[in-house]
Amino acid sequence: MCSVLGVSTGVQLYTGYNAVSDQHISRTSEDINRALDTLPATLSILDNQIITRRQESELIEILNYLFPAQHYNHSALLFADSTPLIRIDNQRSITNVPQWFQSLITIPEHIEKRMVNNNNYDVGIIEVSASSRWAYTKYWQLFSNTLISHLFLMLAGGCLIYIISKKHFASLQRLTTRAQNIDNLNQAPMPLPEESDIKTIVRAFNKLTYQLDVNFKNQANEAVKLREQAYLDPISGLGNRSFFIHQISSWLDESHKGGLALIQTTLISDYYEHKGYQAGDKLIKQIAARLNEVIIYNDATISRLSRDEFAVLIPNLSSEKLTLLGKMILKIFTNIERNSDIDSAITTDIGLVYNEARLTPSQLLTQLDNALTQAKLTPHESIALIKDPTSHDTLGKQQWKQLLEQAINEDLFQYKFQPATLENRSIYHYEVFTGIQKNKDFYSAGQFLGAIEDLKIGSWFDRHVIVTIINRLNADRTIGPFAINVTNSSIADPSFIRWLDKLLANNTQVASRLFFELQEISCIRNTDATSILCSTIKRHRFGVGIDNYGRHFQSLTYLKEINPDYVKIDYAYTYQLNDQTKSAVLSSICRTAHSLDIKAIATRVETETQLERLSDLFVSGYQGFITEKYTQLEKV
């Protein structure tokens, strides 16, 4: 529309200029013709060589009448031989037209001469110079009126087009926003607009979004099936022996403090023998369901090791609670035995191991077998506990609480930082590991986190660490990014989320240099609280990560809801990469994260061989001793 109006304006102004110029000339010609009708009889006196003053005055008056001063710069009468007789000059400046317009547009004055003839005799000459003042005035009026009218038309047309196109623009804006967030699968289908052309595009977008969602779910389900094949007992739905051993390895590397239980029962074999395989399978599923109901610890691992053996691992569990748990498990089997109609003698034995030493998985499994053997030797109790006699750590829960309070009040915390490195060897972040230094004793987080979670005081600890790290980031803009682990008890604490919301709102300047790392179990068992916390963190543009990714057998579709920046792969998948089945599982769960543009970071990478194998399995980065030794910083 602007182009059309621009061309129209140009044409009108050009045509108007020519018309005014032609009118300027034709007006002069008309005035001279009128003068030639009037002057001949009067100019007969020009035959005389001398004229009187009165005659000269009459001629001047006639010339002023015929050629007004406002239209002519000068008018003159000459004898037939071009001898000057009378000349009237009327030079006037043009005051009603802007000077810039006169400089831009040139309209020259028009000079014209005519012979005056009387009775076929040439008696004199009329010479006039038509002023361009009139032409400038006319053309300025035309110019300004044309511009004003076209600007009005342009404005009115623009408003009309805006009103007509407003719906189109709104649909296109929604379409653009959806295109920018096409990788976000948590989106409802777009409503169909009224415009037929855009409606086709919206249908295509909705179909594409739906297909992406289906592909992600299929990929997540494929990853779950691969994990189940490698690590799941198909009957009970619990982890198998291989999964349990890997979880023990991971736990021993993290904290090595906690309890284990090995359960062996003759009930299952008797069911299979007397009631058949269908009844035996049903019994195994019943036992698994009851174990999951009773063992409510977030980080517990329950596995079926063989036909009649079950095992349990609970990190950071006290020996007292382990003993209590053994009795509860025994009660499960006792109740099932009472409700069965098997006549043969049924025995259930439970071996318990409380560990605080850094042992190997095989050493720990040997202790479990020894505890089970002891339980069988005391049939009147059926439970035996082996407690690690080498432990130097005998603090109870209340002592840990007092130590934590003292550490917060006296600032006894020390921080170590381990880098997480991307494929291009750039540092993605430094994970913060917190310990307590009291006199000559050093307590790592793995030693006291269990007590913190038991006492539900994780928010004390988390608040202190978060404030300390944020203060350090504010004080030094060259450090970071850091990743802070958040305890499960803090995630379930609404007051902690409100506190964190206010803190982050006041410190958005460090958002790009701080991540918050959550345990995968929180995403599965505390989904609503975890979603609220993640929304709070991301609203202020801080980062979110998931630790122990893939440890649990639930679906990985929680990634769509949480949408973290990165996940850290559970150690069970990065250990023994020569196993093709385990490599396939690792590749599948990494590909699931990769499809949502989430970085997958392998943990505890210690050798170049591990690094080379991981580079082929959709792993975005790695963390461990191979990247860099822990960096000790001074107390904050």
Side-chain angles (χ1 to χ4, degrees):
M1 185 188 75
C2 292
S3 300
V4 172
L5 286 175
V7 171
S8 173
T9 302
V11 169
Q12 288 194 32
L13 293 179
Y14 177 76
T15 304
Y17 176 81
N18 291 331
V20 169
S21 298
D22 292 343
Q23 192 175 359
H24 176 50
I25 296 171
S26 62
R27 181 188 181 92
T28 304
S29 298
E30 289 174 2
D31 286 346
I32 290 180
N33 289 336
R34 186 170 65 252
L36 292 177
D37 292 338
T38 305
L39 288 175
T42 305
L43 293 182
S44 59
I45 61 174
L46 295 178
D47 290 337
N48 303 322
Q49 295 298 316
I50 299 174
I51 61 173
T52 64
R53 287 185 175 276
R54 185 176 64 81
Q55 290 174 322
E56 182 179 352
S57 299
E58 290 177 355
L59 289 174
I60 290 174
E61 186 177 347
I62 291 171
L63 287 176
N64 283 332
Y65 173 77
L66 294 174
F67 304 106
Q70 63 267 29
H71 296 313
Y72 292 91
N73 288 333
H74 80 266
S75 57
L77 281 176
L78 297 86
F79 289 104
D81 60 357
S82 298
T83 303
L85 173 61
I86 297 173
R87 179 183 175 92
I88 304 173
D89 289 306
N90 304 305
Q91 291 293 341
R92 293 184 181 180
S93 60
I94 305 173
T95 58
N96 56 347
V97 177
Q99 187 62 44
W100 65 264
F101 186 76
Q102 297 178 48
S103 302
L104 182 66
I105 305 297
T106 301
I107 304 178
E109 64 179 357
H110 176 64
I111 300 175
E112 190 170 334
K113 290 182 179 181
R114 292 281 194 89
M115 186 66 71
V116 181
N117 187 279
N118 185 29
N119 295 326
N120 296 323
Y121 290 100
D122 293 335
V123 295
I125 300 172
I126 297 178
E127 180 184 281
V128 294
S129 172
S131 172
S132 57
R133 183 168 50 252
W134 175 85
Y136 269 116
T137 302
K138 287 294 183 182
Y139 191 57
W140 168 246
Q141 292 174 351
L142 173 66
F143 182 86
S144 56
N145 291 338
T146 301
L147 282 184
I148 291 172
S149 61
H150 280 72
L151 285 173
F152 175 77
L153 288 174
M154 189 178 297
L155 181 62
C159 293
L160 184 62
I161 291 174
Y162 173 77
I163 293 172
I164 295 174
S165 304
K166 188 175 181 180
K167 289 186 178 180
H168 287 73
F169 288 143
S171 300
L172 287 173
Q173 183 61 42
R174 288 194 298 270
L175 209 55
T176 302
T177 302
R178 178 58 60 91
Q180 292 171 344
N181 298 289
I182 191 67
D183 57 342
N184 182 3
L185 302 181
N186 294 317
Q187 301 184 79
M190 291 178 63
L192 293 177
E194 296 179 0
E195 303 83 355
S196 59
D197 51 347
I198 302 180
K199 186 182 294 185
T200 303
I201 302 176
V202 169
R203 283 199 183 99
F205 262 84
N206 287 341
K207 186 174 181 180
L208 177 61
T209 303
Y210 172 76
Q211 192 60 49
L212 287 173
D213 188 61
V214 170
N215 290 342
F216 170 76
K217 289 179 180 177
N218 291 338
Q219 198 170 64
N221 291 334
E222 176 192 349
V224 171
K225 288 179 182 177
L226 283 173
R227 283 192 301 158
E228 290 175 351
Q229 291 172 8
Y231 298 116
L232 194 70
D233 174 63
I235 299 176
S236 65
L238 303 174
N240 58 20
R241 187 180 189 87
S242 177
F243 179 74
F244 187 71
I245 292 174
H246 287 318
Q247 292 302 319
I248 289 178
S249 300
S250 178
W251 163 64
L252 288 173
D253 283 340
E254 286 177 354
S255 67
H256 59 263
K257 176 185 176 181
L260 300 95
L262 181 61
I263 307 114
Q264 189 177 72
T265 180
T266 62
L267 180 63
I268 296 173
S269 295
D270 288 345
Y271 251 71
Y272 276 124
E273 182 179 348
H274 293 93
K275 296 192 174 185
Y277 280 92
Q278 187 173 359
D281 290 349
K282 185 177 180 180
L283 174 66
I284 292 171
K285 292 177 182 177
Q286 181 184 0
I287 293 172
R290 292 290 295 125
L291 288 173
N292 278 316
E293 289 175 5
V294 171
I295 303 172
I296 58 174
Y297 297 95
N298 284 336
D299 48 358
T301 298
I302 308 173
S303 299
R304 184 186 178 211
L305 304 188
S306 64
R307 181 174 184 174
D308 54 5
E309 284 186 339
F310 295 84
V312 180
L313 165 64
I314 305 178
N316 302 310
L317 188 71
S318 66
S319 59
E320 294 80 7
K321 284 197 172 183
L322 179 61
T323 303
L324 180 61
L325 180 66
K327 294 178 180 179
M328 294 172 64
I329 293 174
L330 183 61
K331 188 175 181 181
I332 292 174
F333 286 91
T334 302
N335 289 337
I336 294 176
E337 290 172 18
R338 289 172 181 170
N339 295 327
S340 68
D341 52 359
I342 303 295
D343 295 331
S344 59
I346 298 173
T347 60
T348 299
D349 301 296
I350 302 176
L352 304 175
V353 172
Y354 175 74
N355 182 70
E356 292 179 315
R358 191 174 291 278
L359 305 177
T360 65
S362 60
Q363 290 173 325
L364 207 52
L365 289 173
T366 299
Q367 285 202 22
L368 266 178
D369 288 334
N370 292 337
L372 184 62
T373 300
Q374 291 182 23
K376 291 179 180 179
L377 295 175
T378 55
H380 57 284
E381 291 188 8
S382 299
I383 298 177
L385 170 66
I386 293 179
K387 188 173 181 180
D388 180 18
T390 64
S391 173
H392 65 277
D393 181 5
T394 58
L395 295 181
K397 287 191 299 183
Q398 293 304 317
Q399 290 172 304
W400 280 120
K401 183 178 180 181
Q402 292 172 6
L403 177 61
L404 181 63
E405 290 176 345
Q406 183 182 5
I408 292 175
N409 294 331
E410 301 178 16
D411 196 12
L412 302 179
F413 291 105
Q414 286 195 350
Y415 302 95
K416 297 180 180 181
F417 301 82
Q418 188 181 55
T421 307
L422 299 180
E423 289 178 300
N424 60 5
R425 301 299 174 97
S426 64
I427 301 297
Y428 184 54
H429 66 238
Y430 293 88
E431 184 173 354
V432 179
F433 293 91
T434 309
I436 298 175
Q437 183 75 53
K438 182 181 179 183
N439 300 324
K440 295 182 180 180
D441 296 322
F442 179 79
Y443 305 91
S444 67
Q447 293 176 269
F448 57 77
L449 278 179
I452 286 177
E453 294 286 15
D454 265 352
L455 293 166
K456 305 298 181 185
I457 57 174
S459 120
W460 291 7
F461 173 70
D462 287 339
R463 292 185 194 208
H464 183 82
V465 173
I466 292 169
V467 169
T468 299
I469 296 301
I470 286 180
N471 288 341
R472 188 171 185 84
L473 289 170
N474 281 323
D476 188 348
R477 296 184 179 180
T478 63
I479 62 173
F482 293 133
I484 301 175
N485 290 279
V486 180
T487 61
N488 295 322
S489 55
S490 292
I491 296 172
D493 182 358
S495 64
F496 171 80
I497 297 177
R498 290 193 297 270
W499 171 85
L500 185 64
D501 187 20
K502 293 179 181 178
L503 180 69
L504 299 185
N506 294 327
N507 291 276
T508 54
Q509 67 276 6
V510 301
S512 62
R513 295 187 287 143
L514 187 58
F515 294 89
F516 291 90
E517 206 165 287
L518 318 176
Q519 298 292 316
E520 184 186 57
I521 189 63
S522 299
C523 303
I524 294 171
R525 296 194 179 179
N526 238 341
T527 306
D528 292 340
T530 305
S531 296
I532 294 172
L533 176 61
C534 290
S535 297
T536 300
I537 294 171
K538 291 196 289 187
R539 183 168 65 251
H540 301 295
R541 303 192 180 281
F542 287 77
V544 174
I546 302 297
D547 198 10
N548 302 127
Y549 172 62
R551 172 174 290 187
H552 304 275
F553 287 108
Q554 281 76 6
S555 172
L556 300 177
T557 53
Y558 71 83
L559 291 176
K560 284 174 44 181
E561 178 70 25
I562 304 300
N563 194 26
D565 297 281
Y566 66 90
V567 292
K568 287 187 177 174
I569 306 162
D570 190 65
Y571 175 62
Y573 298 105
T574 59
Y575 176 68
Q576 292 183 343
L577 291 172
N578 290 327
D579 188 317
Q580 293 298 321
T581 302
K582 294 180 178 63
S583 294
V585 174
L586 174 60
S587 175
S588 179
I589 65 173
C590 289
R591 194 163 58 248
T592 301
H594 185 74
S595 67
L596 295 177
D597 197 26
I598 298 170
K599 292 178 176 61
I601 298 174
T603 56
R604 300 184 198 173
V605 181
E606 300 179 1
T607 67
E608 289 290 344
T609 303
Q610 273 183 290
L611 193 59
E612 291 173 5
R613 293 280 297 162
L614 289 168
S615 63
D616 300 327
L617 300 174
F618 290 92
V619 174
S620 309
Y622 45 91
Q623 179 178 341
F625 292 107
I626 193 173
T627 58
E628 189 178 334
K629 298 297 182 182
Y630 284 106
T631 303
Q632 177 82 46
L633 298 185
E634 72 242 22
K635 287 197 301 181
V636 179

